[in-house]
């Protein structure tokens, strides 16, 4: 397990942006510069492979009603993301996407989105999402992490830290198991509590911000994000925090920030 201060990760980006000029990109909405060393084509190839493997090794829900809801909410958020990117004239960033939304049987209170729009929602989070709006909060947030390329950013930082910036295909060939571990932790997939590298505070607030806009554009009331994160916070007040909470700290400052961003998100909702 490894943690980095915000200052350190900024330094890594600054230094690496100097070394790898072509490898820095800009996060939509916030305009923040980020380090993405792994070519998108490699991220997508690995994503599609790992997603297929995950679905083979885990039990896809047989509950037709709940599955249909996950696919419905996912499809609506996908539509919102595509409109948003088209308006910003950055649709090329979504060109390799093969959107897919699956509900998987698991007690874990978790959900994630791998590059290329490969989403998994765990049945364990449904009691917390409660309804369609709550599901839209979670899926909007996870899809926001993906389209802001947070996984690539985390992969890049970890490949740099562990293998000195070795290319993904090179790392996979020489250290396949470690590289898969880096991948799994970058996307929060099937790991034990405490084994996850937490998403940075910056990435979390970006995903909250962008997620609110996407859910609003998809026709869901962004104000429902507040009670959702309050329910998550209540859960974390219990004993061992579930996986979703280890990567998604539900504190008052997050809820306060979401409240502050609601007026902007509501403009998209009213349209
Ligand atoms: Zn998150």
């Amino acid at each position: 397990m490894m943690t980095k201060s915000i200052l350190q990760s900024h330094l890594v980006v600054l230094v690496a942006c100097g070394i790898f000029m072509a490898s820095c990109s800009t996060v939509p909405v916030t305009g923040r510069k980020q380090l993405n060393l792994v070519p998108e084509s490699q991220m997508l190839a690995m994503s599609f492979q790992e997603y297929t493997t995950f679905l083979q090794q885990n039990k896809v829900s047989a509950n037709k009603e709940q599955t249909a809801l996950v696919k419905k909410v996912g499809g609506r958020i996908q539509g919102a993301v595509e409109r948003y990117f088209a308006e910003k004239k950055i649709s090329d960033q979504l060109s390799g996407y093969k959107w897919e939304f699956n509900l998987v049987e698991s007690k874990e209170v978790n959900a994630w989105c791998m590059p290329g729009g490969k989403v998994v929602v765990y049945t364990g989070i449904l009691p917390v999402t409660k309804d369609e709006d709550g599901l839209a909060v979670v899926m909007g947030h996870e899809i926001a992490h993906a389209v802001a390329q947070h996984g690539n950013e985390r992969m890049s930082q970890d490949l740099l830290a562990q293998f000195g910036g070795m290319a993904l295909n090179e790392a996979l060939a020489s250290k396949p198991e470690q590289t898969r571990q880096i991948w799994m932790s970058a996307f929060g997939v099937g790991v034990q509590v405490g084994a996850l590298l937490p998403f940075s505070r910056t990435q979390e607030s970006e995903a909250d911000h962008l997620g609110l806009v996407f859910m609003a554009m998809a026709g869901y009331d962004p104000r429902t994000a507040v009670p959702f994160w309050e329910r998550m916070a209540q859960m974390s007040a219990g004993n061992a925090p579930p996986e979703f909470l280890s990567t998604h700290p539900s504190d008052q400052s997050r809820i306060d920030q979401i409240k502050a961003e609601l007026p902007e998100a509501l403009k998209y909702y009213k349209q």
Side-chain angles (χ1 to χ4, degrees):
M1 184 168 160
M2 184 178 57
T3 52
K4 280 200 196 79
S5 73
I6 289 170
L7 187 66
Q8 275 174 314
S9 55
H10 279 183
L11 192 64
V12 167
V13 173
L14 278 178
V15 171
C17 284
I19 300 168
F20 311 99
M21 281 302 281
S23 308
C24 287
S25 43
T26 305
V27 179
V29 185
T30 64
R32 181 175 63 87
K33 290 282 178 207
Q34 62 182 176
L35 171 70
N36 289 327
L37 291 176
V38 185
E40 184 70 358
S41 59
Q42 286 182 16
M43 289 298 285
L44 292 178
M46 187 156 180
S47 177
F48 297 160
Q49 191 182 328
E50 290 298 337
Y51 193 73
T52 302
T53 304
F54 183 87
L55 291 180
Q56 285 165 351
Q57 292 176 347
N58 291 271
K59 191 167 177 269
V60 175
S61 172
N63 185 315
K64 287 200 175 99
E65 201 179 320
Q66 291 176 341
T67 299
L69 194 62
V70 165
K71 289 183 192 294
K72 177 190 174 190
V73 173
R76 282 174 66 169
I77 291 182
Q78 172 192 346
V81 168
E82 288 171 345
R83 286 201 306 281
Y84 185 90
F85 275 60
E87 282 166 18
K88 304 284 173 191
K89 303 198 190 317
I90 50 173
S91 293
D92 57 309
Q93 289 183 22
L94 303 175
S95 61
Y97 270 59
K98 290 182 184 170
W99 295 92
E100 206 176 328
F101 313 98
N102 282 291
L103 180 65
V104 164
E105 289 289 342
S106 169
K107 285 179 186 153
E108 282 183 50
V109 182
N110 204 0
W112 43 258
C113 178
M114 284 187 190
K118 298 295 192 184
V119 177
V120 160
V121 174
Y122 294 74
T123 50
I125 204 169
L126 297 182
V128 191
T129 57
K130 274 188 162 178
D131 53 23
E132 192 170 341
D133 289 317
L135 197 54
V137 177
V138 168
M139 294 181 80
H141 177 91
E142 293 305 325
I143 287 169
H145 274 308
V147 299
Q149 300 191 55
H150 288 165
N152 194 334
E153 194 173 8
R154 299 175 79 187
M155 285 289 289
S156 301
Q157 288 173 357
D158 290 357
L159 286 170
L160 204 59
Q162 295 189 31
F163 303 144
M166 195 185 284
L168 178 62
N169 51 1
E170 210 181 312
L172 268 174
S174 61
K175 296 168 195 217
E177 216 26 66
Q178 273 171 279
T179 309
R180 278 197 80 213
Q181 282 307 315
I182 293 177
W183 175 274
M184 294 303 182
S185 74
F187 295 100
V189 179
V191 282
Q192 292 166 342
V193 175
L196 271 182
L197 184 70
F199 274 72
S200 74
R201 193 171 271 273
T202 305
Q203 290 178 331
E204 281 306 315
S205 62
E206 271 178 3
D208 282 340
H209 184 177
L210 206 43
L212 285 179
V213 170
F214 294 154
M215 76 176 286
M217 286 179 76
Y220 297 110
D221 188 341
R223 286 169 291 205
T224 57
V226 173
F228 168 77
W229 286 110
E230 283 170 351
R231 289 196 294 275
M232 289 298 280
Q234 274 166 16
M235 284 197 62
S236 72
N239 300 323
E243 279 78 355
F244 192 77
L245 294 172
S246 65
T247 53
H248 298 82
S250 307
D251 50 22
Q252 192 56 45
S253 67
R254 143 173 269 155
I255 291 169
D256 290 344
Q257 195 178 344
I258 286 173
K259 283 179 180 167
E261 286 165 353
L262 279 178
E264 182 201 349
L266 281 167
K267 285 183 202 157
Y268 290 94
Y269 183 55
K270 295 292 177 195
Q271 275 172 7

